[in-house]
Amino acid sequence: MIYLDNAATTMRKPQEVIDAVVKAMSSMGNAGRGANEASLSASRLIYDTREKLCRMFGAEDPRRIVFTCNSTESLNIAVKGILNPGDHVIATMLEHNSVLRPLYEMEKQGVRLTIIKSDKKGRFDLRDMEAAIAADTRMIICTNGSNLTGNYIDPAPIGELARKHGILFVVDASQTAGVFPIDVQKMNIDVLCFTGHKGMLGPQGTGGMYVRTGVPVRPLKSGGSGVQTYSKTHPVEMPTALEAGTLNGHGIAGLHAAVEYLEKTGVDAIRAREQELMWKFYEGVKDIPGVKIYGDFSSKKRCAIVTLNIGDYDSSEVSDELLTVYGISTRPGGHCAPLMHEALGTVEQGAVRFSFSHYNTEEEVETAIRAVRELAEEE
C-alpha cells in the first residue's frame, strides 16, 4: 500500500519509537506510584520527555507541559477548563471538530461564540478577527494548520493581537507539531494543544498541552495522582492538576524516542522533504482537466497536504478506486472540518486528501499522479 494519509496519522514510525514502546511494555512501572526502580525509571523518562517537549516548544518550565491522550483531550481541557458562562470566544471556519464541538457545548452553557469566516481558498482576514473582539472576549482559538486544505496559519500575528487586547490565545497544533517550529513564548501562545501520533511520529494515544504560567485551567477529570492522597480535592500544582490517573507511560516512552528522532533528523529537514513530495504531486495534478484542488498554494509555507476532487465524483468513490486499483490510501469525506467544507462548497461531495510523510518516495508520488490522471480521464 502507498500510504498517503499521514494527516490522519503517520503510519510509518521510526524504528526507535517501536523499540522504545516494546521495551517499556516489559519494564515500565507506574510513574509516581512507588519507590521501586520500575516506578522511578518511569518517572524519570516521563519527566525527561517533558523537558524535551519544553525545549521543542520554547516553553518556560517543563512543569507547564501536560500529557493527554491526543489533541482532542487537550482542546477539551483548554475550552472547558478556561471558559465560563458570559465569556466570549473567537474561532475560525478552519477549525476541526475537536475545537468546534467543545465550543458548541460551551455555547449552550452561556458562552458567546464568534466564528470568523473563510474565503473559498480557506483563508481568513486578521482584521475580521480584531473587529470581533469585544469587552467580554476571553479567548481566541485557532488552528496552526488546516487538516483539510493544508494552509499554514502563522500564530505570531494572532498571538500579538491577543496579547494587545489581554485575551488568551489557544492554538491547535495537531497538523504542525513536529513539522513546523513553534515557540510559545515568542508567538504569545497561552495554551498549545498537540498530538503525538501525527507529525511528531509518536504512538497513538499520546499528546499533550502547554499551559503558560499564570493561566488558570480547571481539570477535566480528577482522581488518583500519586500525591496528596488524603486531600478531598485534586492537587492544583502543575502538571499533576491536569493529569489525573495513570499516564500512558508506554506511549510516552515512544513519544520520547520520537522527539529524539526529530531532534536528530531535524524538523526543518523533515518538513523540506515532505513539502518537496507535496509540491511534486501538486504540480503533477493541478492542470489535469476535471481536477479541482482546494486551498491556498500561493505560499510555499504550508502543510504537506493536497486536497482535491475529480469532476462530480463522490470523494469516497475516488478514494475507493485509488485504494482498490492503485493501492493508494487517502482520506475522503468531511475530515471532521464541517465549516471548512461549507466555505469550499464541498459539503455534499466531500474531498479526497493526499497527505505526505518524509518516508514517502518520489516513485509513490508519481504513481499517485498517474492514478489521478487516469481517473480523471474516465470521468
Side-chain angles (χ1 to χ4, degrees):
M1 180 177 64
I2 298 174
Y3 187 79
L4 298 178
D5 194 17
N6 292 282
T9 193
T10 48
M11 185 180 69
R12 185 174 175 188
K13 311 293 185 182
Q15 187 60 45
E16 301 95 309
V17 173
I18 299 168
D19 293 343
V21 174
V22 172
K23 180 181 178 182
M25 289 289 290
S26 62
S27 63
M28 179 177 278
N30 198 334
R33 268 69 168 182
N36 57 79
E37 183 55 32
S39 175
L40 293 173
S41 63
S43 296
R44 286 192 288 267
L45 184 141
I46 287 171
Y47 187 78
D48 191 47
T49 310
R50 288 192 211 278
E51 288 191 315
K52 288 182 179 297
L53 292 168
C54 181
R55 289 194 299 271
M56 171 176 277
F57 298 132
E60 70 273 20
D61 185 341
R63 291 172 295 182
R64 309 310 298 180
I65 301 293
V66 175
F67 289 111
T68 65
C69 294
N70 44 48
S71 286
T72 299
E73 184 177 7
S74 299
L75 289 161
N76 270 266
I77 293 171
V79 169
K80 297 175 181 178
I82 294 175
L83 294 174
N84 297 297
D87 287 341
H88 175 229
V89 57
I90 299 171
T92 76
M93 292 186 79
L94 283 64
E95 309 311 319
H96 189 277
N97 272 337
S98 298
V99 171
L100 294 175
R101 285 174 173 166
L103 288 176
Y104 294 148
E105 287 182 41
M106 296 305 293
E107 191 175 29
K108 289 182 179 179
Q109 296 179 31
V111 170
R112 188 166 66 89
L113 171 62
T114 298
I115 295 178
I116 305 303
K117 291 186 177 180
S118 161
D119 66 15
K120 291 186 178 297
K121 288 192 174 182
R123 302 170 300 194
F124 68 89
D125 195 322
L126 190 63
R127 291 170 296 186
D128 293 339
M129 185 172 280
E130 183 163 26
I133 294 173
D136 58 349
T137 305
R138 172 73 170 155
M139 175 192 294
I140 294 173
I141 185 167
C142 183
T143 184
N144 190 196
S146 169
N147 74 310
L148 179 54
T149 65
N151 291 359
Y152 174 83
I153 296 86
D154 186 356
I158 306 174
E160 185 177 341
L161 174 68
R163 188 57 50 88
K164 182 175 75 171
H165 290 274
I167 299 166
L168 294 177
F169 181 35
V170 178
V171 173
D172 175 6
S174 299
Q175 295 296 333
T176 54
V179 181
F180 285 89
I182 298 172
D183 189 309
V184 293
Q185 296 189 80
K186 291 181 180 177
M187 294 175 169
N188 290 313
I189 297 171
D190 294 294
V191 179
L192 180 77
C193 300
F194 61 91
T195 194
H197 71 101
K198 298 188 182 188
M200 295 195 72
L201 303 174
Q204 294 178 3
T206 64
M209 59 194 301
Y210 157 79
V211 180
R212 188 187 293 277
T213 303
V215 176
V217 182
R218 293 184 300 275
L220 192 65
K221 53 190 177 182
S222 60
S225 59
V227 296
Q228 300 179 25
T229 295
Y230 297 103
S231 172
K232 291 183 178 181
T233 58
H234 194 75
V236 297
E237 295 80 15
M238 288 285 283
T240 309
L242 302 180
E243 288 183 346
T246 296
L247 294 174
N248 177 11
H250 304 135
I252 293 171
L255 185 61
H256 180 275
V259 176
E260 285 191 336
Y261 175 85
L262 292 172
E263 290 172 341
K264 178 180 67 177
T265 308
V267 168
D268 291 342
I270 290 173
R271 183 176 67 257
R273 176 58 176 165
E274 289 180 355
Q275 292 188 343
E276 178 184 11
L277 296 171
M278 179 271 295
W279 283 109
K280 178 180 178 68
F281 177 76
Y282 172 76
E283 293 296 335
V285 301
K286 68 181 178 68
D287 295 323
I288 297 175
V291 171
K292 183 172 184 179
I293 297 175
Y294 304 97
D296 181 12
F297 287 82
S298 64
S299 171
K300 292 294 182 183
K301 193 172 187 179
R302 53 178 290 108
C303 301
I305 292 171
V306 178
T307 301
L308 56 80
N309 275 317
I310 300 176
D312 295 325
Y313 280 135
D314 183 86
S315 61
S316 294
E317 292 181 24
V318 175
S319 191
D320 284 347
E321 284 289 300
L322 287 167
L323 183 61
T324 57
V325 177
Y326 300 95
I328 300 171
S329 177
T330 57
R331 171 82 184 272
H335 312 88
C336 302
L339 300 184
M340 193 71 265
H341 277 284
E342 285 184 21
L344 299 178
T346 52
V347 171
E348 297 300 324
Q349 189 177 15
V352 183
R353 183 182 68 191
F354 296 75
S355 50
F356 302 87
S357 163
H358 69 296
Y359 284 122
N360 288 126
T361 66
E362 294 190 4
E363 290 74 19
E364 289 176 333
V365 172
E366 289 166 2
T367 299
I369 294 170
R370 176 172 60 84
V372 172
R373 182 180 297 112
E374 291 177 359
L375 290 174
E377 288 172 355
E378 295 175 8
E379 198 268 333

